[in-house]
Amino acid sequence: MSSIENTAPLKSASIFTLFSPRLLPATLMLGGGVTLYAVESYITATIAPSIVRDIGGLELFSWMTTLFVAAGVLGSITVATRPKGMGLRAVYIAAALTFGAGSLICAIAPTMPVLLIGRAVQGYGSGMLSGLAYAFIRFIYPEPLWRRASTLYAAIWGVATVLGPTLGGLFAAGGAWREAFIILVPLAVIMAFSARWLLPDVADDRIDTRTPLIQIILLLAAVLFVSIAGTIEHGSYKVVLIAVSIVLVATMVLIERKSEVRLLPYGAAMLSNPIARLYLTIFTMMLVLTSDIYIPYFLQTLHGVTPLVSGYLVALVALGWTIAAFFSNSLSGRQAAAAIIAGCILETAATASLIPFLSTATPFSELAEFAPAVIAMFLMGFGVGLGWAHLVTRIIGIARRTEQDKASAAISMTQSLGGAFGAALAGVIVNGAGLTNPGGIAGGLSAANWLYTLMAVPGLIAIVLSFTIRPASA
């Protein structure tokens, strides 16, 4: 099953073992798929204004992200619901070609509706690539390296939050938004053809390959509604859309409990089951972390920080995630369980500490004035990175062998859901607290206070859940 047959020498191996000659090809292929998904999310957000200026379609602006996210969730689901007998390598090839096709459509799009089609196709392919990274772990690496591989993928997301906007800015500055898509086409083709030689052809060990169509429809509808809620300005519409999304997800969970055809691995819809608490911890941590999307606004409006500097400061959240991921990757057993608990506590405490650090109207001109907020931002990401790989490894470790693909796909799905719900909820909070009305300094102060007060609450749930997660050796 693994590319390395003798796992004994790897029990104390470092993350750099993933880049050993025998593992490097597969690591590059799987890490490359995650990188495409992560970086592309941020590149397009940066070049979107240039796209609208060129081909119009401002009224459809928000759908560039909405369709990409929804299609990405569907793509991750496809990894687990693919036709019987279709191996993961074949899915990877199809995913890379799909991503390349979507990128080509975006590059040549004459109008916004055509570009949106391309974004949906692109998102579907990248969602599959992201889900495949976790699905392939158990076939590529021996078990002692699962946590290291999960750490690497987590670190890629952290780096992408810095690399994506930077690359997007370069293309946007030159008005070369089409080139930002076209360069991805040959890259996707190379990845597709390389997969045949660089990834193993593993057998499909699933038993139940029936498609849980009702659950998929409910989940996609929930993602679409909550993503739209995150892009509209009207507060009451946001609340309604989020409420509908919650109802749809709750309905999906109830159906999962009773249905013989499941979207999620066994036990994921029952809070009494450990795997359900693992997924819920991932969801709540991502939801809390998404509150960082308003940090640049508060820095600029309340503290006089320039847009460029505020952009680099918020990147500290990603830097914290990346550093923590590497810091904790060698932990195991009780230490890993403690890292999950410590990570949830750190993220929640750091989020709450932004209340006094950001919700003031004091200009940041000296380093000492920046320091508390800078540390808090760094620790938000550090907390997530500290426990992320251990959460992923525990899910893969306790899921039934025949449901490993479902378990892996659900990781990406849960991550996307947490981000979508977090962005929408944050929008409801800040708009209800006065970000736009009365706006200005007064509105910003009120919005910052309420945002980081209320967004810390899900963090408390994550802390409680983390104490119920038993060490892998237990």
Side-chain angles (χ1 to χ4, degrees):
M1 298 289 282
S2 170
S3 61
I4 295 180
E5 295 182 8
N6 184 10
T7 64
L10 295 172
K11 289 183 178 179
S12 60
S14 73
I15 194 171
F16 297 105
T17 308
L18 302 176
F19 300 95
S20 62
R22 297 181 69 181
L23 296 177
L24 179 61
T27 297
L28 291 178
M29 293 295 289
L30 301 181
V34 176
T35 301
L36 283 180
Y37 188 19
V39 173
E40 182 58 24
S41 302
Y42 294 102
I43 287 180
T44 306
T46 307
I47 64 175
S50 299
I51 295 175
V52 171
R53 283 194 295 269
D54 189 14
I55 64 175
L58 180 60
E59 68 280 4
L60 300 173
F61 182 90
S62 63
W63 284 95
M64 278 190 280
T65 299
T66 299
L67 288 177
F68 185 86
V69 171
V73 171
L74 181 59
S76 66
I77 293 173
T78 301
V79 174
T81 59
R82 65 189 186 277
K84 177 66 176 176
M86 186 178 188
L88 291 177
R89 188 174 69 181
V91 179
Y92 188 100
I93 294 172
L97 292 176
T98 300
F99 179 83
S103 300
L104 180 61
I105 294 172
C106 290
I108 64 176
T111 61
M112 182 60 77
V114 176
L115 187 133
L116 292 180
I117 293 174
R119 283 294 283 168
V121 175
Q122 194 184 44
Y124 182 69
S126 60
M128 282 194 286
L129 288 172
S130 181
L132 281 165
Y134 293 114
F136 255 120
I137 282 180
R138 63 192 174 105
F139 297 110
I140 298 292
Y141 310 108
E143 189 169 348
L145 286 178
W146 289 1
R147 188 171 60 255
R148 270 70 169 182
S150 300
T151 297
L152 177 64
Y153 304 148
I156 287 173
W157 275 97
V159 172
T161 60
V162 179
L163 184 61
T166 301
L167 292 176
L170 293 175
F171 286 109
W177 67 267
R178 293 186 186 275
E179 285 79 356
F181 290 113
I182 200 67
I183 63 170
L184 297 172
V185 178
L187 179 59
V189 172
I190 291 172
M191 291 174 66
F193 281 97
S194 299
R196 184 172 180 82
W197 293 277
L198 301 183
L199 291 175
D201 186 18
V202 296
D204 183 2
D205 57 5
R206 297 170 299 157
I207 294 177
D208 187 359
T209 57
R210 293 174 294 176
T211 302
L213 190 59
I214 296 177
Q215 292 98 305
I216 292 175
I217 292 174
L218 289 171
L219 184 63
L220 289 180
V223 172
L224 281 173
F225 283 137
V226 78
S227 297
I228 294 171
T231 61
I232 62 177
E233 296 297 327
H234 200 290
S236 59
Y237 290 163
K238 279 180 177 286
V239 173
V240 171
L241 288 171
I242 292 176
V244 171
S245 299
I246 292 173
V247 171
L248 289 173
V249 172
T251 303
M252 188 271 288
V253 170
L254 290 175
I255 293 175
E256 275 284 297
R257 288 182 177 181
K258 301 177 181 179
S259 177
E260 294 182 359
V261 184
R262 293 192 303 272
L263 173 64
L264 304 174
Y266 175 79
M270 297 176 287
L271 195 58
S272 59
N273 192 295
I275 199 169
R277 298 195 293 274
L278 289 165
Y279 282 120
L280 189 54
T281 303
I282 287 178
F283 175 84
T284 51
M285 292 186 80
M286 280 304 302
L287 190 150
V288 174
L289 189 69
T290 312
S291 63
D292 71 344
I293 61 177
Y294 286 96
I295 289 178
Y297 177 86
F298 295 137
L299 288 173
Q300 295 171 41
T301 304
L302 302 179
H303 305 288
V305 179
T306 65
L308 179 63
V309 173
S310 67
Y312 281 114
L313 286 177
V314 79
L316 288 168
V317 178
L319 181 63
W321 181 330
T322 302
I323 291 176
F326 284 105
F327 173 78
S328 70
N329 86 90
S330 61
L331 303 179
S332 61
R334 294 186 180 278
Q335 290 180 329
I340 295 173
I341 295 172
C344 292
I345 293 174
L346 270 178
E347 184 195 25
T348 303
T351 301
S353 70
L354 288 175
I355 301 168
F357 296 155
L358 280 186
S359 59
T360 65
T362 306
F364 284 167
S365 56
E366 302 292 336
L367 181 60
E369 297 169 340
F370 277 93
V374 165
I375 294 172
M377 285 183 271
F378 178 84
L379 290 179
M380 281 180 70
F382 192 89
V384 177
L386 199 59
W388 190 267
H390 304 299
L391 290 165
V392 170
T393 304
R394 288 293 291 131
I395 289 173
I396 296 174
I398 68 176
R400 294 177 175 180
R401 183 184 63 81
T402 56
E403 292 192 320
Q404 290 279 348
D405 290 348
K406 285 184 180 181
S408 301
I411 294 170
S412 297
M413 184 181 72
T414 304
Q415 182 178 352
S416 297
L417 279 175
F421 271 93
L425 182 59
V428 169
I429 293 171
V430 296
N431 287 330
L435 186 70
T436 56
N437 183 23
I441 298 295
L445 288 173
S446 176
N449 263 305
W450 281 104
L451 177 63
Y452 296 109
T453 298
L454 296 178
M455 290 299 277
V457 175
L460 298 177
I461 297 174
I463 292 173
V464 173
L465 291 170
S466 69
F467 278 97
T468 71
I469 298 172
R470 302 178 65 185
S473 59

